[in-house]
Amino acid sequence: MSGDHQTLALLLFSAFIAVTLGITTWVSRNRQGSAEEFYAGGRLFSPMENGFAIAGDYMSAASFLGISGLIALFGYDGMLYSVGFLVAWLVVLLLVAELVRNCGRFTLADVVAARMAERPVRIAAGASSVTVSVLYLVAQMVGAGSLVALLLGGTSGAARSWTVVGVGALMVVYVSLGGMRATTWIQIVKAVLLMAGTVALTVLVLVRFHGDFNELLTSAADRSGYGKDFLSPGLRYGGSWTARVDFISLGLALVLGTAGLPHILSRFYTVPTARAARRSVVWSIGLIGSFYLMTIVLGFGAAALVGSSAVRESNPAGNTAVPLLAMVLGGGEGSTGGTFLFAVVAAVAFATILAVVAGITLASSASVAHDLYASLKRPGGRQRSEVAVARVAAAGIGVAAIGLGLLAQDLNVAFLVGLAFAVAASANLPVLLYSLFWRNFTTRGAVWSVYGGLIPAVLLVVLSPVVSGSPQALFPGVDFQVFPLENPGLVSIPLGFLAGWIGTVTADEPPDVAKHAEIEVRAMTGAGAV
């Protein structure tokens, strides 16, 4: 890219980083140092503020860069991600949001441990939450690397690698200094910027085609290289039986995974009441729904105006489709408008990545400190020490995410997030639903449910074409692939529910009916909620 692109985009990057670091510094000077302040921001956010923060947490690099890129490359099949990510929020609204706010305090494990033996449940749920969070973080790292590599030199490996390291360092700073309060305001600022940028691009695409969506689709099909097949199912997930089953597996993971994401569940604790949590979800559904509708326009717009082959040439996974589209809409490479619009979109995408990684890192460090460390520490330890452990954990998780992000640089970010959703739906969702709705659920059932979903999901990913046995794999030079599907959800999600049922019916200890009754009253009425 030209020097003008680099200079303007880097200035905008720097401005956002300066603003967010300023927010973090200001919040860190006014913090109380308590666990409630660090994990939940003092529970002082309004439903609208929390709704914008949830949207900012959820609309990640996978959404802005990855989904649009998949639509630009594969047309109809790429839209599955948009539909799946949006429909998932109905599950969250109807089954999870209000009940989780009433039953828990800071993490997923709080909900389950409320009626179980705490230590084994917290260790299992904490390990699962950290695994999901690290997978999600890798997707954001890959998105940041692709974006900055495009800006600084096309396929520059050094630029991508140093960007991954830089994003990891920044996320540790945000979480360690500012906690949930700083993270929330960063997400709100990011959500506003992302919605504004997406609306502007969508309007420009529709204006280019005179508001005729049919003309947009026709032009996209013509320039895709696939003709009318571009607008029909099966281009990516068609043909062989494995591709079709993969399609079903992915859809199941996307729809069910959101309700098990640790960084989404933790957002329900930042509002004062369950009613506020429910209203937060309504706000977020409005923002997220409109956003995903616009990603469809951007994906087909990139195919029509940039061309699928040009998108693939820039980045084989399609992660740079939206910045390239912005350049064309602004007047093309070398034009003032193209340079400005490209730089703005690149900066918004970078802001998106930074905000999301901050939220995920906070949720995972909370799981390490509040669940794993709290289960193993000596009785009578100070609460403040738990917050100190969370800050150290943020650094460790950042290092792990950087290492995996460097390995996965050539994978599509939306696809990587699909894997995180599959693990969340397999390990976290079964134990959460059983705990809330099954009267006879036991501690053994809870532990078996988590591990019965987590271990198969991770193992099947390791043995899938994602890791080895294909040119696009993490390790293309080796082949230990056994499992044929790229997404394990179709197998691992039922295994999580099955393991929880088997663990419960074979348990020696009887279920604690009194505790279940207490949790049921708290879940439905909010009486006794923290």
Side-chain angles (χ1 to χ4, degrees):
M1 295 299 158
S2 67
D4 290 340
H5 285 104
Q6 295 179 16
T7 303
L8 184 55
L10 288 174
L11 285 174
L12 291 171
F13 284 0
S14 302
F16 180 80
I17 291 171
V19 169
T20 52
L21 285 176
I23 292 172
T24 303
T25 303
W26 175 73
V27 169
S28 66
R29 289 178 178 175
N30 294 278
R31 69 170 187 259
Q32 300 172 356
S34 67
E36 183 170 323
E37 175 69 26
F38 186 80
Y39 296 143
R43 309 190 199 282
L44 299 175
F45 293 101
S46 69
M48 185 181 75
E49 290 170 344
N50 198 43
F52 269 84
I54 290 173
D57 223 348
Y58 194 71
M59 298 184 301
S60 64
S63 304
F64 192 54
L65 301 177
I67 292 177
S68 300
L70 284 174
I71 294 173
L73 295 181
F74 302 106
Y76 183 95
D77 280 9
M79 289 197 299
L80 172 66
Y81 286 87
S82 290
V83 176
F85 283 147
L86 178 56
V87 172
W89 278 97
L90 297 178
V91 178
V92 176
L93 178 62
L94 297 175
L95 294 179
V96 172
E98 190 171 354
L99 303 182
V100 165
R101 174 61 188 85
N102 282 337
C103 293
R105 190 178 177 206
F106 301 129
T107 64
L108 164 70
D110 288 338
V111 180
V112 184
R115 51 177 292 212
M116 309 291 176
E118 285 208 28
R119 185 173 183 179
V121 167
R122 286 192 179 278
I123 291 173
S128 172
S129 296
V130 171
T131 303
V132 172
S133 298
V134 170
L135 280 173
Y136 212 113
L137 281 171
V138 170
Q140 312 310 313
M141 301 293 194
V142 171
S146 299
L147 184 70
V148 176
L150 175 66
L151 182 72
L152 298 181
T155 58
S156 171
R160 296 169 74 176
S161 299
W162 280 110
T163 301
V164 168
V165 174
V167 170
L170 280 170
M171 78 185 189
V172 173
V173 171
Y174 289 146
V175 172
S176 300
L177 292 182
M180 178 59 84
R181 194 183 295 269
T183 300
T184 299
W185 283 112
I186 291 169
Q187 288 160 345
I188 292 171
V189 171
K190 166 257 172 142
V192 173
L193 290 175
L194 182 60
M195 289 299 294
T198 307
V199 168
L201 287 180
T202 301
V203 169
L204 289 173
V205 170
L206 294 176
V207 166
R208 182 67 67 95
F209 291 94
H210 313 291
D212 188 342
F213 195 70
N214 188 57
E215 183 184 348
L216 167 61
L217 295 179
T218 302
S219 180
D222 291 341
R223 294 202 62 187
S224 68
Y226 298 104
K228 291 184 178 180
D229 290 342
F230 190 69
L231 305 179
S232 303
L235 196 58
R236 177 179 173 88
Y237 297 105
S240 66
W241 71 268
T242 53
R244 298 185 184 207
V245 174
D246 229 341
F247 183 85
I248 298 171
S249 185
L250 173 64
L252 189 65
L254 294 180
V255 170
L256 298 180
T258 300
L261 293 176
H263 65 290
I264 297 298
L265 295 175
S266 66
R267 290 238 55 92
F268 300 137
Y269 301 123
T270 63
V271 289
T273 65
R275 182 171 181 267
R278 186 175 65 250
R279 290 175 62 197
S280 297
V281 175
V282 173
W283 270 100
S284 64
I285 286 176
L287 293 167
I288 292 167
S290 57
F291 172 78
Y292 282 121
L293 288 175
M294 290 187 288
T295 61
I296 296 173
V297 176
L298 298 184
F300 283 114
L305 298 175
V306 179
S308 298
S309 59
V311 171
R312 189 175 285 106
E313 182 180 349
S314 170
N315 182 275
N319 294 330
T320 54
V322 173
L324 293 175
L325 173 64
M327 191 187 306
V328 172
L329 290 172
E333 186 173 354
S335 65
T336 302
T339 299
F340 177 76
L341 201 55
F342 173 89
V344 169
V345 168
V348 168
F350 196 68
T352 295
I353 291 163
L354 289 179
V356 172
V357 297
I360 301 169
T361 306
L362 178 61
S364 54
S365 62
S367 293
V368 171
H370 186 62
D371 299 328
L372 299 178
Y373 169 74
S375 299
L376 300 172
K377 73 176 182 178
R378 292 173 301 172
R382 292 185 308 151
Q383 190 178 47
R384 187 182 297 272
S385 67
E386 187 179 302
V387 175
V389 170
R391 294 194 174 102
V392 175
I397 290 164
V399 171
I402 288 170
L404 291 172
L406 294 174
L407 281 175
Q409 292 186 53
D410 293 326
L411 296 180
N412 181 276
V413 288
F415 171 72
L416 285 170
V417 166
L419 296 181
F421 273 59
V423 177
S426 303
N428 291 348
L429 183 63
V431 71
L432 180 60
L433 294 183
Y434 277 149
S435 297
L436 292 173
F437 299 110
W438 190 9
R439 182 182 300 273
N440 294 326
F441 198 43
T442 62
T443 298
R444 177 191 281 186
V447 174
W448 283 29
S449 181
V450 173
Y451 292 131
L454 175 64
I455 295 173
V458 173
L459 186 62
L460 291 176
V461 169
V462 171
L463 299 177
S464 74
V466 175
V467 176
S468 71
S470 69
Q472 295 80 30
L474 284 179
F475 304 106
V478 295
D479 186 1
F480 47 86
Q481 172 200 340
V482 176
F483 185 64
L485 304 182
E486 293 185 344
N487 193 290
L490 189 63
V491 176
S492 58
I493 294 172
L495 285 178
F497 282 99
L498 180 62
W501 178 79
I502 293 175
T504 296
V505 298
T506 60
D508 296 328
E509 81 273 20
D512 193 328
V513 178
K515 275 192 176 180
H516 176 268
E518 178 186 341
I519 294 303
E520 190 173 38
V521 171
R522 185 192 301 178
M524 298 302 176
T525 66
V530 179

